[in-house]
Amino acid sequence: MFDCIDLFCGAGGFSLGLRQAGINIQIAIDKDFDCQETYRRNHPETELFQADIGQINLCVLKSVRRASKLLILAGGPPCQLFSQLNRNSSDNPAGIRAYMRAFHAASPDYAVFENVPAILRKRKSWNFLINSFAKAGYEVTFEVLESNAFGVPQKRKRMIVVASKHGEVQLPQGKSRQVSVRQAIGHLPKDFGYNADHYGLALAPVNLERIRSLKAGESSRSAGDAFCDSYSRMNWDALAPTITTKCISFSNGRFGHPEFDRALTVHEAAILQGFPRSFRFHGNLWAKARQVGNAVPPPIGKAIGKAIIKHSETR
């Protein structure tokens, strides 16, 4: 059986997907307190460390290596460091250096690195990552995966890099039928309180007026405006936009509910991110939204886990 170390684990979306594929998440590491509480609540079987990845005691990672027959190292530094939406993003591989520090200590059979596609434009960071794997003698495969191809009901692209000690791994392509917003959250009630995460932000009077003027799929701005999707309702019969850390805000993206006069709740955003309905988050509204927006969609993690297991069984 595969064991896994999950770095930058966040709320545990990647861990959940890998676990669904049949992989044991041995330890997980993140420094965010709210993420820690969410992770503990949903992954009680995993040993959790609240620590900076760059400062974690390497003996912890080496002990997992000694006890594991087959080991995966998974994770990716915060994507805001490389996102094209972040005007202040820099080509600084500090987060990747922390990842590689853990990688060298753990010496895994497979390493999975996940981030935004825009990391390709950060040549210093990207070259450091790929060259570090190559110098360690690993075969590297990378590809941008479309989340909706794996049943996630949103437009979301992720760069996935898999490094292997045992030859090149073929990344999953995904063939799932597209899931619409209606199919994902159309059954959920209008009012808050359906469960502990079915809460969102109350709209200010000006935004309440804006959203009431819109039909599903409409925006309050013209298509030629640079801010055309600042005030928009989602389309019931299409994919959701990329779920971000501002996913509960009507004025920070296209997160207006298709029918109700409000933005998404945390619970609705989590389902659109591919989390199961039973998953619960810890913290205040903004802390929960941040965890949802930063998560790796669990179906992506599951598909990658299955691809690695398949590769190990056929080599």
Side-chain angles (χ1 to χ4, degrees):
M1 181 178 183
F2 269 102
D3 289 323
C4 177
I5 298 170
D6 190 356
L7 307 177
F8 309 98
C9 65
F14 210 168
S15 286
L16 177 59
L18 292 172
R19 184 158 57 84
Q20 289 172 339
I23 294 166
N24 174 46
I25 312 302
Q26 191 71 26
I27 66 172
I29 307 168
D30 201 288
K31 64 181 181 180
D32 183 273
F33 173 77
D34 290 317
C35 287
Q36 290 282 310
E37 293 303 305
T38 296
Y39 197 99
R40 285 192 180 96
R41 181 178 298 176
N42 295 280
H43 301 277
E45 72 288 345
T46 297
E47 186 175 7
L48 191 61
F49 292 86
Q50 185 175 0
D52 188 300
I53 303 300
Q55 299 175 4
I56 189 73
N57 188 336
L58 296 181
C59 292
V60 172
L61 308 182
K62 292 177 181 178
S63 67
V64 177
R65 171 70 280 180
R66 289 192 295 269
S68 300
K69 183 178 180 181
L70 291 169
L71 181 62
I72 298 172
L73 182 79
C79 61
Q80 289 85 352
L81 294 174
F82 308 109
S83 175
Q84 60 185 350
L85 297 178
N86 180 4
R87 296 179 181 179
N88 297 317
S89 66
S90 62
D91 194 1
N92 184 349
I96 298 177
R97 290 186 189 279
Y99 177 99
M100 294 310 303
R101 174 178 179 268
F103 166 79
H104 289 300
S107 187
D109 296 276
Y110 299 88
V112 182
F113 180 91
E114 177 273 341
N115 220 278
V116 292
I119 193 176
L120 277 173
R121 301 189 182 96
K122 308 298 183 181
R123 302 310 303 175
K124 183 178 180 180
S125 299
W126 179 252
N127 289 338
F128 175 77
L129 175 71
I130 299 303
N131 290 338
S132 295
F133 283 139
K135 288 177 181 178
Y138 285 65
E139 292 281 345
V140 178
T141 309
F142 62 89
E143 191 169 337
V144 175
L145 299 185
E146 298 269 6
S147 296
N148 64 284
F150 300 90
V152 180
Q154 66 163 301
K155 300 174 183 177
R156 189 182 189 91
K157 296 180 179 180
R158 305 305 291 178
M159 168 60 75
I160 302 296
V161 182
V162 177
S164 168
K165 275 185 178 180
H166 311 293
E168 184 176 340
V169 176
Q170 183 176 354
L171 290 175
Q173 297 303 305
K175 299 179 181 178
S176 295
R177 182 172 59 88
Q178 182 171 300
V179 179
S180 69
V181 171
R182 187 191 305 275
Q183 291 169 313
I185 65 169
H187 63 288
L188 295 175
K190 172 184 178 180
D191 296 333
F192 297 156
Y194 168 70
N195 61 43
D197 290 333
H198 196 60
Y199 286 90
L201 298 175
L203 296 187
V206 64
N207 281 339
L208 191 59
E209 183 178 349
R210 284 188 177 114
I211 199 169
R212 284 174 174 169
S213 70
L214 301 174
K215 296 179 181 179
E218 287 187 343
S219 168
S220 63
R221 306 268 184 158
S222 66
D225 194 308
F227 300 97
C228 64
D229 54 4
S230 290
Y231 302 102
S232 302
R233 284 192 188 269
M234 296 184 299
N235 189 329
W236 269 132
D237 299 313
L239 295 170
T242 300
I243 299 298
T244 71
T245 58
K246 306 292 186 180
C247 56
I248 58 172
S249 173
F250 176 56
S251 57
N252 287 98
R254 296 168 290 171
F255 304 123
H257 192 280
E259 180 177 344
F260 306 142
D261 294 336
R262 59 170 175 76
L264 293 172
T265 64
V266 171
H267 184 56
E268 289 166 338
I271 291 174
L272 294 173
Q273 186 74 301
F275 281 94
R277 299 173 188 177
S278 59
F279 202 95
R280 294 292 176 266
F281 296 84
H282 176 88
N284 62 33
L285 274 178
W286 282 114
K288 290 180 177 184
R290 184 184 71 249
Q291 293 170 60
V292 173
N294 283 335
V296 178
I300 292 284
K302 182 179 180 180
I304 293 169
K306 285 187 172 182
I308 291 175
I309 291 173
K310 180 179 179 180
H311 180 269
S312 71
E313 292 174 344
T314 57
R315 63 182 174 87

